[in-house]
Amino acid sequence: MIHEILPVGMLQCNCSIFGDEQSHEAIVVDPGDNIDEILAVLRKHSLTVKAIVITHAHIDHIGGAAKLKASTGAPVHMNENDAPLYDRLDVQAGWLGTETPERTEIDSNAREGDSLTLGGAEFHILDTPGHTQGSISLWIPAENKLVAGDTLFRDSIGRTDLPGGDGRQILRSIHAKLLTLPSDAVVIPGHGPNTTIGREKERNPFLS
Ligand SMILES: [Zn+2]
């Protein structure tokens, strides 16, 4: 499996590009910005995007979704509980002092129990609310990888002081859904370096 992680935009959101070498299909997670760079990576590997997945509707994660969808025709998957946040993209742009990006329709309500397939690998959607009400994580058992959005970081957890945030709920999500995954599972957070479930279980000061 091809997996490139591209920090995009001024907040350096980790955009993940997964590609299957055989079918040349791809899943792109959190195309927040820098869509031209994302398209260049797709071209480099001759990949066709079959799905765009949004871990949550903060502008740094979803800002480029409309442009990527327009360029690739791929459907956008996001949890519907974040629709109110996506409706307020202009307010979010105001927080950052940036222009409001183009908005697109959400094609599929991504929620727990759903999965996407890429080559032989399944991408399972986990509901992990708390950072926002519609925050999801992607668990890929065949790769032993978790794409955690802004729910879990190396040495930290997602902030819960923005609209839709809930400090108790994010801890419940992390303990029930994420820390129960294998210790050696690699975690790709929404920002910053990768980690593992085991490392965060042992050393994350917010989880003791
Ligand atoms: Zn966020």
Side-chain angles (χ1 to χ4, degrees):
M1 175 91 73
I2 297 159
H3 182 197
E4 295 219 19
I5 301 168
L6 231 64
V8 297
M10 75 162 116
L11 297 179
Q12 296 284 279
C13 160
N14 286 327
C15 170
S16 269
I17 301 165
F18 291 95
D20 176 53
E21 289 101 337
Q22 252 100 63
S23 64
H24 289 279
E25 289 183 322
I27 292 176
V28 178
V29 186
D30 287 352
D33 202 348
N34 303 133
I35 299 307
D36 292 339
E37 281 175 42
I38 293 169
L39 291 171
V41 170
L42 292 165
R43 264 196 310 275
K44 181 177 83 180
H45 297 289
S46 308
L47 296 171
T48 302
V49 183
K50 69 179 285 192
I52 299 165
V53 181
I54 306 298
T55 61
H56 65 292
H58 279 153
I59 189 169
D60 51 325
H61 295 256
I62 201 172
K67 193 173 172 191
L68 185 61
K69 182 178 167 178
S71 303
T72 62
V76 178
H77 301 251
M78 183 189 91
N79 186 277
E80 67 183 2
N81 293 335
D82 264 8
L85 269 180
Y86 195 36
D87 288 340
R88 276 176 278 144
L89 213 50
D90 53 340
V91 176
Q92 294 193 50
W95 296 342
L96 297 182
T98 56
E99 271 179 53
T100 306
E102 200 191 324
R103 202 177 171 289
T104 186
E105 289 306 308
I106 302 302
D107 301 285
S108 172
N109 175 22
R111 59 199 153 161
E112 186 134 340
D114 289 350
S115 60
L116 298 161
T117 306
L118 188 66
E122 296 216 350
F123 289 54
H124 296 283
I125 312 275
L126 306 177
D127 287 335
T128 48
H131 175 62
T132 66
Q133 287 308 296
S135 283
I136 58 168
S137 301
L138 279 176
W139 168 231
I140 312 151
E143 298 288 304
N144 202 30
K145 282 180 178 173
L146 175 80
V147 181
D150 284 358
T151 298
L152 180 63
F153 299 110
R154 184 176 168 117
D155 291 327
S156 190
I157 63 172
R159 59 189 290 186
T160 53
D161 58 326
L162 295 170
D166 183 325
R168 282 193 196 150
Q169 192 183 34
I170 195 171
L171 287 172
R172 275 202 303 274
S173 291
I174 292 170
H175 284 282
K177 304 284 180 65
L178 305 188
L179 299 189
T180 48
L181 297 172
S183 280
D184 61 353
V186 173
V187 179
I188 298 101
H191 303 267
N194 288 357
T195 182
T196 61
I197 291 294
R199 186 190 183 282
E200 296 319 302
K201 241 183 195 167
E202 269 176 35
R203 291 164 66 168
N204 191 312
F206 296 90
L207 302 178
S208 51

